[in-house]
């Protein structure tokens, strides 16, 4: 970085969290360098995925046409699969959309361009290998080629969160702390996508798949889900699986993806579709109870690096942006006061605790663990029961309906009754 | 785990992934530790089948790595030394 004389703030990582933090600092008139290990912007990043329009607009006030959005999500589908059946709930809305699909390389590159326009210095193809410490204060970073010093360092390096672990802000990451996502992107003509998913204009769809990855009740269904997103001329199909459950299952992630691809409900979607890319990335589990400390002397953690997500609603990029903004504001205060001590940076945590993110992570604190404990019910038992019910309902034969429904109600009632208290308890916590 | 099936499907998937391959590996396994390992999680958790077994030894095809970081947290014996590839090298996603 020969052309930058004195750096106020270094941001490690140029994903949404890093961009949001860096832009906030630049808007406050301070010198900020944003570093990323990728040569082509965003080329290391992968998600489902859709970004949330309010978070993008809060960062850059732009119109739909100005950003490289693909399709807006006008349709959310929830599909419950057994090996040979599916039951679907489809919600379609013509109201103002809240999310849009994007490809991360294109979208991240665009975010970075906006940041550069506002004065952020961007250093691509630069990997931060370690943090520079003076006693316990973070005073800069060491890259492959040089040492850079700054008053504040913001760690936006994503889910692996290596640097936070070296600072002991986070405990060493264990398999249960990360969800592995694998996906395939397919090329499919826009007209076919619209026909197959019942879409018009620039409408798009997200389908979440419950079940269909295993039918082995004895060894337990993994905490895993499938997803399908539509883009202009592409669809993405993937799965997310808790790494600890993957280890227990002794199956490869790609054979699970292949299993989803070969489900009778999905095969017709992929007819004629050409696979053009395969990718993998991790997602933090987003555990409220193990939220890392968000700051130390001279450094703050944002986005995935801090484990800030709400996986129930597929929220990640918005948490990255909003936490980035809060850390950026705190960094500005620290630079102005010429003091990046723990005491000054603790304002970041205070800001975070006032935000919707903290409130949501807190009220959802037991949701994911409940879902994980109930995997067998949610992903195996209920899809089967739904299939049984509709099969009964739609089967026209000579058995009296009362006989059929009575036996179904008896069996199902008992199975569901056991789960109800657990679900009710967690739902009440969310509402509290 | 049907190994032949797995091998075929991953080879097909990886044929669509773009890489800028470094000449040095960013992944090193401790062979001595692996020799005594009975669970061998690395063989199946890796989404790119970077790890395979050849003549009783763990073979590492680092050039196929998707940089997800799952192997290093899954190895129960901490036998994997994993660092990011040299800046600018490794996987290059376009439609992710
Ligand atoms: C399968 C999957 C599906 C998802 N679906 C959605 C979705 O639909 N909607 C949604 O909102 N979120 C989704 N997410 C989550 C979302 O992708 C993340 O929450 C979000 O990208 C976090 O942003 P970030 O800036 O914190 O980290 P990242 O986007 O991961 O950015 C980190 C950046 O840091 C760089 N970096 C890392 N280490 C270093 C280093 N040492 N030196 C220099 N640079 C470094 C990386 O190259 C990268 O550019 C999904 C995630 C996955 C894996
Ligand atoms: S799991 Fe770890 S110790 Fe076992 S074979 Fe793989 S790398 Fe070696
Ligand atoms: S980082 Fe991911 S893709 Fe690379 S070797 Fe490890 S598990 Fe496989």
């Amino acid at each position: 970085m020969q052309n930058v004389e004195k750096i106020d703030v270094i941001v490690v990582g140029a994903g949404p969290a890093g961009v949001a933090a860096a832009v906030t600092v630049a808007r406050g008139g301070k010198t900020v360098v944003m570093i990323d290990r990728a040569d082509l912007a965003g080329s290391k990043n992968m998600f489902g995925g859709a970004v949330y329009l309010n978070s993008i607009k809060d960062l850059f006030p732009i119109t739909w046409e100005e950003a490289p959005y693909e399709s807006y999500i006008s349709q959310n589908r929830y599909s419950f699969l057994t090996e040979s059946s599916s039951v679907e709930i489809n919600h379609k809305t013509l109201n103002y959309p809240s999310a849009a699909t994007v490809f991360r390389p294109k979208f991240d590159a665009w975010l970075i361009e906006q940041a550069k326009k506002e004065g952020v210095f961007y250093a691509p193809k630069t990997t931060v290998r370690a943090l520079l410490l003076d006693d316990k204060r973070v005073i800069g970073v060491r890259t492959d080629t040089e040492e850079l010093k700054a008053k504040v360092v913001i760690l936006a390096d994503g889910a692996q969160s290596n640097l936070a672990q070296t600072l002991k802000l986070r405990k060493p990451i264990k398999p249960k702390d990360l969800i592995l996502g694998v996906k395939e992107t397919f090329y499919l003509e826009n007209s076919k996508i619209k026909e197959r998913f019942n879409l018009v204009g620039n409408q798009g769809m997200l389908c979440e798949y419950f079940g269909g990855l295993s039918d082995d009740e004895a060894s337990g269904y993994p905490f895993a889900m499938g997803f399908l997103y539509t883009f202009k001329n592409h669809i993405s199909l993937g799965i997310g699986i808790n790494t600890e459950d993957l280890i227990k299952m002794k199956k490869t992630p790609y054979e699970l993806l292949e299993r989803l691809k070969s489900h009778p409900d999905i095969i017709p979607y992929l007819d004629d579709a050409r696979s053009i890319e395969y990718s993998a990335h991790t997602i933090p589990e987003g555990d409220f109870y193990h939220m890392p400390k968000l700051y130390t002397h001279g450094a703050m953690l944002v986005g995935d690096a801090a484990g800030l997500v709400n996986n129930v609603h597929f929220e990640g990029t918005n948490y990255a942006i909003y936490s980035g903004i809060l850390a950026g504001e705190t960094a500005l205060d620290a630079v102005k006061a010429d003091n990046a001590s723990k005491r000054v940076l603790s304002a970041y945590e205070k800001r975070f605790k006032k935000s919707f993110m903290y409130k949501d992570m807190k009220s959802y604190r037991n949701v994911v663990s409940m879902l994980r404990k109930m995997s067998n019910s949610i992903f195996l038992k209920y899809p089967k029961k739904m299939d049984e019910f509709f099969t009964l309902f739609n089967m026209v034969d000579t058995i009296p309906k009362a006989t059929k429904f009575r036996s179904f109600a008896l069996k199902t009632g008992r199975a569901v009754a056991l789960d109800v208290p657990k679900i009710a308890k967690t739902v009440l916590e969310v509402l509290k | 785990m049907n190994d032949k099936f797995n091998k075929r499907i991953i080879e097909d998937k990886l044929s669509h992934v773009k890489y800028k391959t470094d000449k040095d590996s960013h992944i090193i396994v401790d062979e001595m530790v692996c020799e005594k390992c009975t669970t061998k999680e690395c063989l199946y958790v890796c989404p790119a089948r970077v790890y395979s077994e050849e003549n009783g030894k763990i073979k590492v095809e680092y050039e196929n790595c998707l940089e997800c970081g799952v192997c290093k947290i899954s190895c129960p014996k901490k036998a994997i030394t994993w660092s990011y590839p040299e800046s600018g090298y490794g996987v290059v996603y376009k439609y992710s």
Side-chain angles (χ1 to χ4, degrees), chain A residues 11-19 35-38 41-52 104 108 112 123 126-130 155-160 162-163 179-183 206 227 229 239-240 280-284 302-306 308-309 311 313-321 323, chain B residues 84:
Chain A
V11 177
V12 185
V19 167
I35 301 174
D36 202 285
R37 67 190 189 90
S43 63
K44 300 290 184 188
N45 302 340
M46 172 274 219
F47 82 152
V51 293
Y52 299 99
R104 289 293 301 274
D108 288 13
I112 292 166
T126 305
T127 308
V128 170
R129 298 287 172 184
L155 304 177
D157 56 333
Q160 292 195 35
N162 296 318
L163 299 168
I179 293 166
L180 172 64
V182 293
K183 81 165 189 181
L206 158 60
F227 58 84
Y229 287 87
I239 60 162
H281 200 90
T282 53
I283 317 170
V302 294
D304 275 10
L308 306 180
V309 294
N311 288 331
H313 298 276
F314 288 19
E315 289 175 281
T317 53
N318 56 336
Y319 276 49
I321 288 173
S323 63
Chain B
Y84 284 125

Side-chain angles (χ1 to χ4, degrees), chain A residues 157-392:
Chain A
D157 56 333
Q160 292 195 35
S161 191
N162 296 318
L163 299 168
Q165 290 174 71
T166 66
L167 288 178
K168 302 217 161 47
L169 288 174
R170 295 193 75 156
K171 295 214 180 81
I173 293 184
K174 296 198 189 73
K176 74 160 181 18
D177 302 329
L178 286 180
I179 293 166
L180 172 64
V182 293
K183 81 165 189 181
E184 233 171 303
T185 307
F186 299 85
Y187 175 83
L188 185 67
E189 252 168 66
N190 182 266
S191 59
K192 287 193 174 155
I193 292 179
K194 284 179 177 159
E195 252 170 50
R196 276 175 209 185
F197 300 104
N198 193 23
L199 304 164
V200 294
N202 46 14
Q203 293 178 342
M205 184 196 76
L206 158 60
C207 182
E208 298 174 30
Y209 291 101
F210 300 80
L213 296 176
S214 162
D215 48 17
D216 182 359
E217 211 164 318
S219 46
Y221 197 94
F223 188 51
M225 265 178 67
F227 58 84
L228 185 155
Y229 287 87
T230 68
F231 301 73
K232 273 182 203 142
N233 289 298
H234 298 86
I235 50 185
S236 74
L237 179 72
I239 60 162
I241 180 165
N242 180 284
T243 309
E244 190 173 81
D245 292 5
L246 178 68
I247 293 173
K248 264 196 227 138
M249 227 184 160
K250 290 199 170 23
K251 288 227 158 65
T252 66
Y254 38 95
E255 75 179 292
L256 293 173
L257 177 58
E258 214 53 24
R259 183 165 170 144
L260 185 64
K261 266 170 77 180
S262 59
H263 190 279
D265 194 52
I266 293 176
I267 287 174
Y269 290 157
L270 298 180
D271 186 33
D272 273 352
R274 183 161 47 86
S275 177
I276 57 162
E277 194 174 85
Y278 170 68
S279 50
H281 200 90
T282 53
I283 317 170
E285 180 74 35
D287 184 353
F288 176 79
Y289 294 108
H290 296 105
M291 202 185 276
K293 198 156 174 47
L294 297 178
Y295 63 94
T296 182
H297 293 293
M300 287 176 275
L301 289 185
V302 294
D304 275 10
L308 306 180
V309 294
N310 182 341
N311 288 331
V312 179
H313 298 276
F314 288 19
E315 289 175 281
T317 53
N318 56 336
Y319 276 49
I321 288 173
Y322 289 121
S323 63
I325 293 174
L326 299 181
E329 287 168 355
T330 310
L332 275 176
D333 294 344
V335 173
K336 283 179 196 153
D338 198 19
N339 180 351
S341 67
K342 249 185 186 172
R343 192 182 50 76
V344 173
L345 298 188
S346 69
Y348 168 45
E349 194 168 273
K350 288 202 191 88
R351 287 179 160 111
F352 178 74
K353 283 195 169 162
K354 283 196 197 128
S355 73
F356 78 97
M357 298 176 277
Y358 180 80
K359 287 175 188 157
D360 281 354
M361 286 181 76
K362 190 172 175 193
S363 62
Y364 275 64
R365 65 193 177 278
N366 293 322
V367 177
V368 167
S369 62
M370 178 215 42
L371 294 174
R372 199 169 160 217
K373 270 189 219 131
M374 290 180 57
S375 284
N376 258 353
S377 288
I378 293 162
F379 301 109
L380 262 180
K381 200 160 76 186
Y382 294 148
K384 254 188 219 157
K385 288 291 166 199
M386 290 183 191
D387 176 36
E388 277 171 32
F389 173 78
F390 285 106
T391 306
L392 268 185

Side-chain angles (χ1 to χ4, degrees), chain A residues 102-140:
Chain A
V102 304
F103 292 121
R104 289 293 301 274
K106 201 167 163 194
F107 193 76
D108 288 13
W110 176 82
L111 285 177
I112 292 166
E113 276 315 303
Q114 308 310 304
K116 279 163 69 182
K117 278 190 213 157
E118 299 202 37
V120 171
F121 293 95
Y122 173 50
K125 207 179 168 180
T126 305
T127 308
V128 170
R129 298 287 172 184
L131 296 169
L132 301 177
L133 296 175
D134 175 11
D135 194 17
K136 276 184 177 156
R137 280 188 315 134
V138 177
I139 54 162

